[in-house]
Amino acid sequence: MKDAFDGFLRRLSAGAIALFATLAVASPLSAAETTTIDGTLSVRWGDPHPSLGSGGGTFFRLQADDGRSLPIEITPQLASVAITAHGRHVRVGGTAGAGIAGEQSFQATSLTVLPSPQDEQLAPAALTTKKVLFILLKYKSDAQTPHSATFYKNLTNLDTASTGMGIPAAITQFYKATSYGRLAWKGDVAGVGGLAATGWLTLPKTKTGYANCGWKGTCADLDGIAADALALVKAQGVNVTAYDNLAFVLNDDLDCCAWGGGYTYGGKHYGATWEPPWGQEAGTYVHEFGHSIGLPHSGWVYYAYDSPWDQMSRGTKPTQLVCGSYNSANSSNAVTKLYCSEPGSGFLTPYKAYLGWVPASNIKTISTVSTTTVALEETARPLGTAYKEVKICLKGEPCTGTTAHYLSVEARIANARYERGLPGNGVVIHDVKMNRSSITSNSCFFNLQFGWAMTIDSTPRDYDSVACSAGGRAYPNYGLYNAQFGVGKTYSNTTLGVKVQVVSSSSTGYTVKVTKSK
């Protein structure tokens, strides 16, 4: 099942890890001054329109304890570790720089997470419900309203589809299933009339006042939108502090992208999303909410967003409905259909384990020289006592923490809701490196927003990395669409001293034999 992300490949542009937001910085540092600053770190990911956008980027911003708001340049070597500090109280060391258009930035050379009683618990023992406030925002002089307030409530809260509104799946449905009942979302909507929203709030600037570029650019003033929106919401009597996440809902396009990550307001860190109309659907919100709780992308083996095994990469869309339309500013105000999808790929098990959704008792960790046979239950089945992951520690590498490097083995079967879009069944193996340095060059990557997990392809070299195409191969016989290992297949890496053999399958999963020789 190819989706429109394939259209990105011929519109390549330079990506960057170090990008900047557009708030002025109070009390500027002297140029090239070396210092340390304490504050709350927010990470933001920009994900391009699936067929029109290009570029994107990962932004880092520090809300300093002294009140300053600083865009942070992060080196490629520090980027993955910085992502693990999303929403945390940190100490950043480095030097002041000029930034963009004369604005000051801070070039980080070190980052340390500081203990804080406000740190979010990443290992919930039972259901946690996050409250998200959807804020309906119209640009000045742009009166269109793509959806009603009820649409956003249904998109978030329903435990069943709302096909009458073109919604085949709701956000909380996906998260309840994927987290094994550990995370749900409860959405309220704010607009004119406060929480009894009867209309969209009007921002004080036009679209170009916040995002003066189109599909090819990364220019959205996310902080400006957030600050203006929260002033409007406060005037409507809404208590923002009652929420965990803020969803800034725009009535027209931003720049290239939909955005997910974090925002600090009034001394509190919130998960945050900034969504143009084309991103206001479950498939995109699932991805951007994932960023808001600290998940990066995965894949980036052959090209950007190349993994169909994870909604934090390309994901899949087994069901898609027309759910509205809008006049797209980035497309010369052309009437553009809106599509709402059912997410079809779930999240990777190592990412779920990172969030505390998979207990240690459901992970078989192999750290010594041995041969071990393990029955792996498919990831989409409810959590019981069976193993959901084999974690293979590597010689000379830490197996836990922010510098961990290990192999993850999981069973995937496309027969359950939120995984029924997978391109096939089998065992999927990932190389997980929590401090992976950024990709520095490859003509097939239009941005470099890699993550911790890179899929190990069972059929390597079946993608044309010169022409950046499938090379005439039919779906799913190229790239990571056929990355799974079936019965009788073996992954062997003599350098790592690891062999994984898929021995057999059942209706509930696969049995693997893992040989660790180093």
Side-chain angles (χ1 to χ4, degrees):
M1 177 182 296
K2 296 197 299 179
D3 63 26
F5 272 106
D6 290 331
F8 286 162
L9 300 179
R10 299 193 181 278
R11 292 182 298 277
L12 308 175
S13 65
I17 287 295
L19 296 175
F20 315 103
T22 55
L23 270 183
V25 179
S27 303
L29 298 165
S30 301
E33 177 183 347
T34 300
T35 189
T36 59
I37 304 176
D38 294 354
T40 301
L41 185 71
S42 292
V43 189
R44 298 168 188 170
W45 289 260
D47 295 300
H49 185 288
S51 59
L52 301 172
S54 61
T58 307
F59 287 46
F60 300 86
R61 178 167 284 276
L62 186 73
Q63 183 65 41
D65 292 346
D66 61 13
R68 289 175 293 175
S69 181
L70 294 166
I72 304 294
E73 279 192 70
I74 298 290
T75 65
Q77 293 73 28
L78 199 59
S80 280
V81 174
I83 288 170
T84 66
H86 171 66
R88 308 288 296 277
H89 194 229
V90 300
R91 176 165 295 152
V92 181
T95 58
I100 293 176
E103 290 185 313
Q104 190 176 41
S105 67
F106 191 76
Q107 299 170 355
T109 56
S110 66
L111 187 148
T112 304
V113 175
L114 302 175
S116 171
Q118 296 180 344
D119 285 348
E120 184 174 354
Q121 173 58 258
L122 289 179
L127 175 67
T128 294
T129 299
K130 284 186 174 291
K131 294 187 67 178
V132 54
L133 181 66
F134 288 82
I135 304 173
L136 305 183
L137 301 167
K138 295 189 296 184
Y139 291 119
K140 181 181 179 181
S141 303
D142 187 346
Q144 65 182 323
T145 55
H147 300 291
S148 67
T150 301
F151 173 90
Y152 299 98
K153 291 179 182 179
N154 289 350
L155 180 64
T156 308
N157 300 336
L158 292 184
D159 282 324
T160 58
S162 180
T163 54
M165 299 191 79
I167 303 174
I171 298 165
T172 200
Q173 295 173 13
F174 172 91
Y175 272 92
K176 283 180 181 178
T178 304
S179 69
Y180 306 115
R182 282 168 164 76
L183 177 60
W185 294 91
K186 171 66 171 65
D188 289 334
V189 180
V192 176
L195 297 181
T198 58
W200 291 51
L201 299 165
T202 301
L203 289 164
K205 298 179 185 178
T206 64
K207 188 268 189 192
T208 56
Y210 295 104
N212 193 21
C213 65
W215 298 123
K216 309 301 182 185
T218 305
C219 67
D221 181 3
L222 304 182
D223 290 88
I225 291 170
D228 289 342
L230 292 173
L232 292 169
V233 164
K234 184 177 179 180
Q236 296 293 320
V238 178
N239 178 18
V240 175
T241 63
Y243 296 90
D244 306 292
N245 270 52
L246 303 173
F248 301 104
V249 181
L250 284 308
N251 73 326
D252 208 331
D253 300 318
L254 285 163
D255 47 14
C256 64
C257 296
W259 294 88
Y263 181 71
T264 300
Y265 173 70
K268 178 179 177 178
H269 180 268
Y270 297 84
T273 57
W274 292 259
E275 297 299 319
W278 59 265
Q280 295 161 18
E281 56 95 27
T284 304
Y285 268 123
V286 157
H287 182 105
E288 304 304 342
F289 278 24
H291 286 322
S292 81
I293 59 176
L295 292 181
H297 293 120
S298 68
W300 264 251
V301 176
Y302 297 110
Y303 51 90
Y305 302 90
D306 64 352
S307 176
W309 304 97
D310 184 17
Q311 288 297 140
M312 294 310 299
S313 188
R314 173 183 302 274
T316 57
K317 301 175 181 178
T319 304
Q320 186 167 268
L321 302 174
V322 175
C323 57
S325 65
Y326 78 112
N327 296 316
S328 168
N330 287 349
S331 296
S332 302
N333 291 317
V335 177
T336 303
K337 287 184 179 179
L338 294 172
Y339 295 90
C340 290
S341 68
E342 172 195 324
S345 299
F347 286 159
L348 300 180
T349 301
Y351 283 10
K352 292 191 280 188
Y354 171 75
L355 293 172
W357 298 344
V358 182
S361 59
N362 294 98
I363 301 172
K364 178 64 176 178
T365 300
I366 300 175
S367 58
T368 60
V369 172
S370 59
T371 297
T372 309
T373 300
V374 183
L376 274 174
E377 185 177 65
E378 64 167 303
T379 59
R381 292 182 67 83
L383 191 65
T385 60
Y387 287 122
K388 292 292 189 181
E389 178 186 28
V390 176
K391 185 177 183 179
I392 307 171
C393 302
L394 304 176
K395 183 180 179 180
E397 302 266 19
C399 209
T400 59
T402 59
T403 60
H405 185 199
Y406 59 92
L407 299 185
S408 172
V409 184
E410 60 184 321
R412 308 297 293 269
I413 299 177
N415 64 357
R417 190 107 193 257
Y418 309 119
E419 296 216 344
R420 62 189 179 194
L422 297 175
N425 301 331
V427 169
V428 180
I429 304 174
H430 284 89
D431 181 312
V432 180
K433 191 171 185 178
M434 300 298 287
N435 64 340
R436 190 184 303 280
S437 294
S438 88
I439 302 161
T440 55
S441 64
N442 187 306
S443 61
C444 295
F445 295 100
F446 65 83
N447 74 33
L448 307 181
Q449 295 190 82
F450 66 100
W452 302 320
M454 294 187 73
T455 315
I456 294 174
D457 192 358
S458 68
T459 56
R461 297 177 296 279
D462 60 359
Y463 182 79
D464 187 339
S465 293
V466 175
C468 301
S469 73
R473 302 174 183 90
Y475 171 86
N477 301 314
Y478 65 91
L480 297 183
Y481 290 112
N482 57 354
Q484 73 275 18
F485 291 79
V487 175
K489 298 293 184 180
T490 299
Y491 167 70
S492 182
N493 189 312
T494 56
T495 302
L496 298 178
V498 172
K499 182 189 291 184
V500 180
Q501 298 168 276
V502 183
V503 177
S504 63
S505 66
S506 69
S507 60
T508 61
Y510 289 83
T511 297
V512 299
K513 183 166 75 172
V514 178
T515 301
K516 180 173 164 58
S517 60
K518 292 184 180 181

